[in-house]
Amino acid sequence: MTQAPIRVGIGGWTFEPWRGTFYPPGLPHKRELEHASRQLTAIEVNGTYYSGFKPETFAGWAATAPEGFVFAVKASRFCTNRKLLADAGESVAKFVGQGIVELGEKLGPILWQFMATKKFDADDFGAFLKLLPAEHGGVKLRHAIQVRHESFAVPEFVEMCRAVGAAIVFADSPDYPAIADVTADFVYTRLERGADDNPLCYPEGEIDRWADAAKLWASGGVPAGLPYVEDDAPPVRPRETFVFFIHGGKVRAPAAAQAVIARVR
């Protein structure tokens, strides 16, 4: 069975409780990315949601991480937290143009996350999707869309994302509804239901479940038992798969990611 790469990681790499647990005692803070990128296979960069960075910063991250490592980059809130998404063109261009392409082959999907209060408006959301560029500076761009309102769970939204090749983020969340339909040539999953009283963030049986799901996505299938809007499965073809343990159980998230990496290898 042909299988596309599976990338598993966490959100960011600067978190004090990881020092002495995930990070070896005494490790200099400036070497935390070096360590994290050798224990995991991807990181979702969340700092880019709040502020911009210089091109040399992205280039430095790329130089620090080993070959094959991938950074997903969360888009600026100024792009997504607005009443009219159709007016986001200038903000989208500014975000994309700040230097993220300096990551080169280590640039993974861009995560466009919307507030839980944002409801589906077909015209406005369709206009927003048209603002997302397919490339910048010769670097291909991939887009992952995380919506968190039940109004998006309709075939029109699924088909809209599929038409432009944008992935709908599947988020296993205790707070928001999820959409598991596969709409792109990659899969983006955020596992947000973890807890720090579990050594692996999730119960070990759930770690097995998500590792199996990742292997199925990567080989072109779709896991049973997830919330799908449409009954028809997408064509079977290998899809690069991203799995991030994030938010819930943050202290244990690195251990969870490492456990899944061990299971999918």
Side-chain angles (χ1 to χ4, degrees), residues 25-130:
L27 181 75
H29 296 177
K30 65 181 180 180
R31 294 188 60 193
E32 288 176 346
L33 175 57
E34 177 187 338
H35 178 85
S37 63
R38 283 155 179 80
Q39 306 304 312
L40 311 170
T41 50
I43 281 177
E44 182 186 284
V45 180
N46 292 301
T48 47
Y49 177 76
Y50 299 101
S51 61
F53 290 83
K54 295 179 179 179
E56 50 265 36
T57 298
F58 294 102
W61 296 345
T64 298
E67 184 177 353
F69 188 85
V70 174
F71 295 90
V73 183
K74 192 172 181 179
S76 168
R77 56 185 170 167
F78 295 110
C79 301
T80 55
N81 293 358
R82 54 175 61 235
K83 186 175 182 180
L84 286 178
L85 295 174
D87 293 340
E90 184 176 342
S91 294
V92 170
K94 183 177 180 181
F95 172 79
V96 170
Q98 70 181 298
I100 61 173
V101 296
E102 294 296 325
L103 290 169
E105 294 181 354
K106 295 171 186 174
L107 174 62
I110 299 172
L111 171 64
W112 306 87
Q113 185 188 73
F114 295 86
M115 297 177 68
T117 53
K118 190 65 176 177
K119 298 179 181 180
F120 179 52
D121 178 316
D123 291 339
D124 194 40
F125 214 87
F128 176 80
L129 290 177
K130 291 178 181 177

Side-chain angles (χ1 to χ4, degrees), residues 23-242:
Y23 296 126
L27 181 75
H29 296 177
K30 65 181 180 180
R31 294 188 60 193
E32 288 176 346
L33 175 57
E34 177 187 338
H35 178 85
S37 63
R38 283 155 179 80
Q39 306 304 312
L40 311 170
T41 50
I43 281 177
E44 182 186 284
V45 180
N46 292 301
T48 47
Y49 177 76
Y50 299 101
S51 61
F53 290 83
K54 295 179 179 179
E56 50 265 36
T57 298
F58 294 102
W61 296 345
T64 298
E67 184 177 353
F69 188 85
V70 174
F71 295 90
V73 183
K74 192 172 181 179
S76 168
R77 56 185 170 167
F78 295 110
C79 301
T80 55
N81 293 358
R82 54 175 61 235
K83 186 175 182 180
L84 286 178
L85 295 174
D87 293 340
E90 184 176 342
S91 294
V92 170
K94 183 177 180 181
F95 172 79
V96 170
Q98 70 181 298
I100 61 173
V101 296
E102 294 296 325
L103 290 169
E105 294 181 354
K106 295 171 186 174
L107 174 62
I110 299 172
L111 171 64
W112 306 87
Q113 185 188 73
F114 295 86
M115 297 177 68
T117 53
K118 190 65 176 177
K119 298 179 181 180
F120 179 52
D121 178 316
D123 291 339
D124 194 40
F125 214 87
F128 176 80
L129 290 177
K130 291 178 181 177
L131 297 175
L132 305 184
E135 64 86 30
H136 185 81
V139 177
K140 179 184 176 182
L141 302 181
R142 294 176 288 173
H143 303 288
I145 311 295
Q146 185 178 13
V147 294
R148 296 183 287 180
H149 192 275
E150 60 187 9
S151 61
F152 284 89
V154 293
E156 187 175 7
F157 173 63
V158 173
E159 292 304 323
M160 186 179 289
C161 290
R162 190 168 283 148
V164 298
I168 298 174
V169 174
F170 169 69
D172 181 46
S173 168
D175 301 314
Y176 309 115
I179 299 173
D181 296 68
V182 174
T183 56
D185 61 0
F186 68 98
V187 173
Y188 198 112
T189 300
R190 298 176 103 235
L191 301 180
E192 304 174 359
R193 202 183 291 269
D196 284 331
D197 55 3
N198 289 317
L200 296 179
C201 188
Y202 275 67
E204 192 153 355
E206 288 289 291
I207 294 293
D208 293 335
R209 176 196 177 196
W210 292 120
D212 289 343
K215 289 187 284 188
L216 188 56
W217 277 316
S219 61
V222 290
L226 297 182
Y228 297 99
V229 173
E230 297 187 336
D231 294 330
D232 295 336
V236 175
R237 64 173 182 266
R239 291 178 170 87
E240 186 172 11
T241 297
F242 295 84

